[in-house]
Amino acid sequence: EIVMTQSPATLSVSPGERATLSCRASQSVSSNLAWYQQKPGQAPRLLIHGASTRVTGIPARFSGSGSGTEFTLSISSLQSEDFAVYYCQQYNSWPPITFGQGTRLEIK
Amino acid sequence: QVQLQESGPGLVKPSETLSLSCTVSGDSISSNIYYWGWIRQPPGKGLEWIGSVYYVGSTYYNPSLRSRVTISIDTSKNLFSLKLSSVTAADTAAYYCARQARSNPWFDPWGQGALVTVAS
């Protein structure tokens, strides 16, 4: 099973600043990585797949990078609606599909 | 626009079987380019993939739950279902259904989720 580890667990950033979230895989997942955003009381929403491809309708301030075992989700110029929990998910080797434990992005 | 909607009891007794259905609208569940999956999330915790089903009935399960999980598909009703047997309080969670592209099985879109509590 591929273990996904996200860091930090909680990230405090001021609106308008940049946030950088990390996701590490226990073995290479190539570029087969997705990022999700989850707000309280809502289902997760797909933001990025293929490590760096934004889903239609996702603002350009969201960007993903990385391959192999190290990945980053960056959010430039944070807006109030961006404060949420973010999860990474690998789909390179399954079953099982595995998620990271999440990073909570909170307002500083 | 495809939409998924979970349905089923919100309260299940310990040792019994949890049963949920996911009704799909706006897309055919018989499509050969998608899997249909279940994911759960205990209160305040992260996401756990439970399993997925293909339209011909092929299933893929999380090894951690395999002995207790059955996922089935009903193409005539355009829905797929989850059964989790011998539940305990640890199975209390929001259960989500979602669509997965067969070529790249990320999850999109998701249903709104169904909270299932295991308690006597």
Side-chain angles (χ1 to χ4, degrees):
Chain A
E1 171 177 328
I2 297 177
V3 177
M4 307 302 293
T5 302
Q6 292 186 241
S7 62
T10 302
L11 181 62
S12 299
V13 182
S14 299
E17 295 189 340
R18 183 182 189 87
T20 302
L21 290 67
S22 296
C23 175
R24 173 177 292 178
S26 61
Q27 62 190 78
S28 176
V29 298
S30 186
S31 295
N32 295 314
L33 184 108
W35 288 96
Y36 300 86
Q37 176 193 66
Q38 187 179 32
K39 296 180 180 179
Q42 297 183 16
R45 176 176 69 149
L46 178 68
L47 298 176
I48 286 171
H49 58 79
S52 60
T53 302
R54 262 191 323 274
V55 170
T56 301
I58 300 301
R61 63 180 181 272
F62 290 88
S63 63
S65 62
S67 66
T69 62
E70 300 284 345
F71 300 89
T72 299
L73 174 68
S74 297
I75 313 170
S76 64
S77 190
L78 279 164
Q79 306 297 303
S80 57
E81 62 267 29
D82 300 334
F83 292 95
V85 179
Y86 292 84
Y87 294 94
C88 60
Q89 174 228 326
Q90 71 82 20
Y91 50 90
N92 185 68
S93 177
W94 70 289
I97 286 174
T98 49
F99 293 89
Q101 80 279 21
T103 290
R104 180 178 304 277
L105 180 58
E106 64 177 28
I107 300 174
K108 186 174 181 180
Chain B
Q1 177 183 353
V2 61
Q3 293 185 316
L4 294 87
Q5 178 68 58
E6 304 88 350
S7 59
L11 180 63
V12 181
K13 290 183 169 57
S15 80
E16 296 191 344
T17 296
L18 178 159
S19 296
L20 293 172
S21 292
C22 180
T23 300
V24 179
S25 58
D27 195 5
S28 171
I29 206 167
S30 299
S31 171
N32 64 358
I33 63 172
Y34 294 118
Y35 297 117
W36 305 92
W38 287 98
I39 306 98
R40 71 178 182 177
Q41 184 175 38
K45 296 188 178 181
L47 301 166
E48 179 182 35
W49 173 70
I50 300 170
S52 302
V53 63
Y54 191 46
Y55 81 103
V56 295
S58 307
T59 51
Y60 309 85
Y61 297 139
N62 192 322
S64 67
L65 296 168
R66 182 190 307 275
S67 63
R68 299 194 291 132
V69 172
T70 302
I71 297 175
S72 59
I73 194 164
D74 187 336
T75 55
S76 67
K77 295 181 179 179
N78 220 46
L79 63 79
F80 60 109
S81 300
L82 167 70
K83 292 187 185 297
L84 181 66
S85 64
S86 305
V87 297
T88 69
D91 295 310
T92 294
Y95 286 77
Y96 297 100
C97 58
R99 187 181 69 176
Q100 300 170 260
R102 190 178 178 206
S103 57
N104 291 287
W106 56 75
F107 297 100
D108 182 54
W110 297 56
Q112 66 182 29
L115 178 61
V116 179
T117 301
V118 179
S120 55

